[in-house]
Amino acid sequence: MFAAENGLKGDPRLEAISRAIRVVPHFPKPGIMFQDITTLLLDHKAFKDTVEIFVDRYRDMDISVVAGVEARGFMFGPSIALAIGAKFVPLRKPRKLPGEVISEEYVLEYGVDCLQMHVGAVQPGERAIVIDDLVATGGTLSAAIKLLERAGAEVVECGCVIGLPETKGQCRLNGKPLYILVGPRDVDDCC
């Protein structure tokens, strides 16, 4: 669900967040309209508003784990975790975490990838949210959910800054709610 459909309709922060995201045509390959959040991170107010909207949503949900998907989920997740009094758990690509890990593979458009988490990072019964910058097909978020649930966590929701409405990402999330701040920008919207 988009934030504008859930009590934030007309909220000027959403428009400012959307405007702060740069669109890079044909990156990383022809036909892709890359939604670049690095410009959002450069805009102190828009970055702060992004984190605050997530914090306002999750503050009273008894969340004990904020899991961030590598790498851009790491940019929002720790701030959200600190503000709501939860721990931050990084979900990383293979061979990035020292020590014992559990893994979850997932299918990409052109291959297979994997997320890993430290064994013991999440305890059975902990309530978790998953944070990432963008949801497209939902494959990465689905793998994150499976990984956390295998460790015994209750995944409450996934939160993303940007959601691509034309992909059916939420269908792959096994019924878990998906909270999205803004839709993708077009090149015409940003120049």
Side-chain angles (χ1 to χ4, degrees):
M1 114 187 53
F2 282 89
E5 299 166 354
N6 189 41
L8 294 180
K9 185 175 178 101
D11 190 319
R13 297 176 300 173
L14 295 177
E15 179 59 31
I17 290 165
S18 181
R19 279 194 320 269
I21 297 165
R22 174 175 53 178
V23 178
V24 181
H26 309 295
F27 181 83
K29 62 183 185 178
I32 300 292
M33 301 300 280
F34 186 79
Q35 306 290 309
D36 181 14
I37 57 131
T38 61
T39 50
L40 169 65
L41 301 174
L42 295 172
D43 182 331
H44 173 263
K45 178 149 178 33
F47 183 27
K48 183 177 183 226
D49 288 344
T50 300
V51 171
E52 285 180 352
I53 290 170
F54 283 125
V55 168
D56 289 346
R57 179 158 182 88
Y58 299 123
R59 176 181 289 123
D60 297 322
M61 289 189 177
D62 195 30
I63 303 298
S64 56
V65 174
V66 176
V69 176
E70 184 170 343
R72 291 177 293 276
F74 294 3
M75 296 174 188
F76 302 100
S79 298
I80 296 165
L82 285 171
I84 67 173
K87 63 184 169 183
F88 177 74
V89 175
L91 305 180
R92 306 244 16 218
K93 301 291 182 174
R95 296 171 300 285
K96 301 280 184 153
L97 292 171
E100 189 177 356
V101 297
I102 59 173
S103 303
E104 186 67 39
E105 286 191 349
Y106 59 101
V107 177
L108 296 168
E109 189 175 353
Y110 298 107
V112 176
D113 210 340
C114 180
L115 288 177
Q116 295 183 329
M117 174 178 72
H118 275 128
V119 170
V122 175
Q123 302 305 310
E126 287 191 295
R127 290 172 52 84
I129 57 171
V130 179
I131 300 294
D132 204 356
D133 70 322
L134 182 140
V135 59
T137 66
T140 306
L141 291 177
S142 181
I145 291 166
K146 289 176 185 171
L147 191 58
L148 290 161
E149 288 180 340
R150 282 181 37 219
E154 174 193 350
V155 178
V156 175
E157 186 168 87
C158 295
C160 294
V161 178
I162 307 163
L164 304 182
E166 66 273 7
T167 58
K168 303 289 184 212
Q170 190 165 359
C171 298
R172 295 183 64 183
L173 301 183
N174 300 325
K176 300 296 179 193
L178 175 60
Y179 187 69
I180 300 167
L181 299 190
V182 299
R185 293 188 61 203
D186 293 326
V187 172
D188 295 341
D189 295 340
C190 66
C191 302

